[in-house]
Amino acid sequence: DVQLQAFGGGLVQAGGSLRLSCTASGITFDDYAIGWFRQATGKEREGIYCTHSNDGDPYYADSVKGRFTVSRDKAKNTLYLHMNNLKPEDTGVYCCGVAPAYHAAIKVQDYEYWGQGTQVTVSS
């Protein structure tokens, strides 16, 4: 079975940092498109990062570019979302997903497996 587990959310002041993790079991990230998404209250789920081992540079949404980066620990089969200079508009539920695709995908409907969400709240 494919399982994704996301951890690391919390409450942080604007300008602060958080690191989220997404650990996978049952799959190897290299074989899938990988994405980080977030959903604010009353809004649709938004893709903020995606990549695939078949592609070049990863995609970051303009809203997070320059502030968020993603790293991977292959030995732990874990992705990390490093979030810096957080803003109140970054508040939301964050989750990771994987898509059985040959290239990166940013659309929610392309994703088949999701981790449980983790809440990030940024206070002003």
Side-chain angles (χ1 to χ4, degrees), residues 3-15:
Q3 288 190 340
L4 301 173
Q5 292 183 308
F7 301 97
L11 173 64
V12 64
Q13 288 188 330

Side-chain angles (χ1 to χ4, degrees), residues 88-102:
E89 52 263 42
D90 294 320
T91 294
V93 176
Y94 285 69
C95 60
C96 56
V98 294
Y102 293 104

Side-chain angles (χ1 to χ4, degrees), residues 108-121:
V108 171
Q109 56 265 36
D110 292 331
Y111 283 73
E112 183 170 343
Y113 302 104
W114 296 94
Q116 85 284 7
T118 183
Q119 176 71 42
V120 172
T121 303

